[in-house]
Amino acid sequence: MRGIVESATDAIVILDDSGNIVLFNFAAVTMFGCSREQAIGTPFNRFIPERLRADFAAQLLTQREESHPEQGGASAEVALAMRSNGEEFQVEISFPQVLAGTSEVRTLILRDITARVRIQKALERSNLDLQQFAFVASHDLKTPLRSIGGFVQILERNHAASLDDKALALIRRTSDAVRRLEQLTDDLLSYARVSSHPKPFILVQVREVVNDVMQLLGAAIDDSGSVVTVGDMPEVLGDRTQLVQLLLNLIGNGIKYCQGRTPVVRVSAHRAEREWVFCVADNGIGIDARHHEKVFEVFKRLHTQQEYPGTGIGLAVCRRVVEHHGGRIWVESAPDEGSTFSFTIPDTSAESSSP
């Protein structure tokens, strides 16, 4: 047993009833920069910053009262520790309680998570920087794009009579390109806003959200002759604007990606465990199984602009909105067999009613 303890990569420290160290393995020596001779017999709280020692002592007491030796009683928490040179660092600490004969042995297992925390913070900063870049770049692009679009319209309106067919075709292509760029900047702004400008969640009637979406898609529904049916919808805790955006993208895609037939879209919801599962099913062109994950990535498009216009950001926005609400999103589909996009949102009523 001692060989296993000594070869462990995590620091293992055993305390007596008074909180003094009786075992200090090699990983603990390395972690705290303190020899066994210096550690054995001293209070473990010497390795806790002084301002936190009272809280740590209370935590040890709580763990002792709540843990059960026969079950292992292990739980893990993040805490702030201190090396022998005074340097503070974060550790993941677990408190397994075991029996040695008839006595309970308080064991601490510690893992230095300094590198993990550093990487996590770097990723958070990187994501924030990317969001800010997308927001600023998209916002700053809108003004010159409007100017270009305006100048092209003036050119076509005032000088169309003096231009040949080739020049007019170039103007139309320029206007189309400007419109696509404006749509792209709008979509980028939407993508960046999901996480960078969060609003407090409120109770939202999803049926009202769907009604708003139906109004926004009114022209597309009328032009395509689409049939959109909506089942009973629950009340959820969320960002109403983002939920409109989510269902606008999913229902809009069901109408758009339909060829040679009348689009039929069904919106439904059912409760499962402690969450609501929403489904948007269509009879469209479908998606090959190898693309089921890729469609939720930014700028992933499975079709050309000529086939189906778009920016490839809509489903990425959907995934970000769903994850922001603590849910998940997936698609079930096959080519020419339609698609069913499903997503979940936690059922807060279940949480509030649970004991």
Side-chain angles (χ1 to χ4, degrees), residues 58-78:
Q59 186 180 24
L60 273 178
L61 181 62
T62 300
Q63 291 293 336
R64 181 168 186 166
E65 291 173 347
E66 294 181 353
S67 59
H68 303 283
E70 67 278 5
Q71 298 174 2
S75 61
E77 298 182 17
V78 174

Side-chain angles (χ1 to χ4, degrees), residues 204-217 221 228-234 240 243-244 247-248 251 267-268 278 280 343:
V204 178
Q205 294 289 345
V206 180
R207 178 69 218 209
E208 294 178 1
V209 169
V210 176
N211 290 342
D212 288 351
V213 169
M214 298 285 281
Q215 288 187 347
L216 291 169
L217 291 172
I221 292 172
V228 181
T229 60
V230 183
D232 293 336
M233 293 287 117
R240 194 180 193 283
L243 294 177
V244 168
L247 286 167
L248 181 66
I251 298 173
V267 185
S268 61
F278 297 86
V280 179
F343 64 92

Side-chain angles (χ1 to χ4, degrees), residues 2-13 23-36 47 83 89 91 108-112:
R2 181 172 291 274
I4 295 174
V5 171
E6 283 302 315
S7 62
T9 56
D10 291 336
I12 299 178
V13 181
L23 185 144
F24 202 70
N25 76 342
F26 179 74
V29 170
T30 304
M31 177 182 291
F32 293 105
C34 179
S35 69
R36 284 191 180 89
F47 297 115
R83 306 189 204 279
F89 65 106
V91 295
L108 308 182
I109 301 177
L110 305 102
R111 177 173 298 173
D112 188 339

Side-chain angles (χ1 to χ4, degrees), residues 70-335:
E70 67 278 5
Q71 298 174 2
S75 61
E77 298 182 17
V78 174
L80 199 62
M82 184 176 67
R83 306 189 204 279
S84 59
N85 63 1
E87 176 192 352
E88 296 182 0
F89 65 106
Q90 283 188 295
V91 295
E92 188 176 73
I93 180 170
S94 57
F95 305 85
Q97 189 174 357
V98 297
L99 288 174
T102 58
S103 302
E104 294 180 9
V105 177
R106 171 58 62 195
T107 305
L108 308 182
I109 301 177
L110 305 102
R111 177 173 298 173
D112 188 339
I113 59 172
T114 303
R116 187 205 306 176
V117 171
R118 187 185 303 118
I119 292 170
Q120 184 177 346
K121 288 182 178 179
L123 284 172
E124 289 172 354
R125 285 195 300 271
S126 177
N127 286 335
L128 183 60
D129 289 344
L130 285 172
Q131 290 169 13
Q132 287 298 108
F133 172 78
F135 184 81
V136 172
S138 301
H139 185 271
D140 290 351
L141 277 171
K142 290 182 74 69
T143 299
L145 280 174
R146 287 197 191 99
S147 298
I148 294 170
F151 292 149
V152 171
Q153 288 178 358
I154 292 171
L155 181 62
E156 184 177 20
R157 184 172 61 248
N158 295 345
H159 302 283
S162 61
L163 297 174
D164 59 19
D165 291 342
K166 185 177 181 179
L168 290 172
L170 288 172
I171 288 175
R172 283 192 290 272
R173 288 175 61 184
T174 303
S175 296
D176 290 342
V178 168
R179 279 193 293 271
R180 286 200 298 272
L181 278 172
E182 286 179 332
Q183 184 61 56
L184 177 60
T185 56
D186 287 341
D187 288 349
L188 277 172
L189 279 169
S190 297
Y191 185 75
R193 281 192 180 114
V194 172
S195 299
S196 59
H197 291 75
K199 293 190 294 186
F201 284 177
I202 60 172
L203 286 174
V204 178
Q205 294 289 345
V206 180
R207 178 69 218 209
E208 294 178 1
V209 169
V210 176
N211 290 342
D212 288 351
V213 169
M214 298 285 281
Q215 288 187 347
L216 291 169
L217 291 172
I221 292 172
D222 292 342
D223 292 344
S224 62
S226 299
V227 177
V228 181
T229 60
V230 183
D232 293 336
M233 293 287 117
E235 181 182 64
V236 299
L237 197 65
D239 182 321
R240 194 180 193 283
T241 301
Q242 290 185 4
L243 294 177
V244 168
Q245 191 174 30
L246 168 63
L247 286 167
L248 181 66
N249 283 337
L250 294 179
I251 298 173
N253 281 351
I255 294 171
K256 180 168 73 170
Y257 292 99
C258 195
Q259 199 173 47
R261 71 199 80 174
T262 299
V264 176
V265 180
R266 298 180 302 279
V267 185
S268 61
H270 66 274
R271 193 173 180 277
E273 297 294 332
R274 293 175 175 269
E275 62 187 11
W276 286 101
V277 180
F278 297 86
C279 300
V280 179
D282 63 58
N283 66 333
I285 60 175
I287 303 169
D288 193 283
R290 67 179 187 273
H291 299 308
H292 285 185
E293 288 295 327
K294 294 180 181 178
V295 294
F296 294 104
E297 298 175 9
V298 180
F299 299 128
K300 283 294 181 182
R301 303 201 72 239
L302 306 182
H303 310 279
T304 65
Q305 276 290 341
Q306 289 71 31
E307 292 174 311
Y308 296 98
T311 61
I313 299 178
L315 288 177
V317 171
C318 290
R319 181 170 67 177
R320 180 165 266 196
V321 168
V322 170
E323 290 177 349
H324 182 57
H325 283 74
R328 61 194 191 283
I329 186 170
W330 67 96
V331 61
E332 297 169 278
S333 181

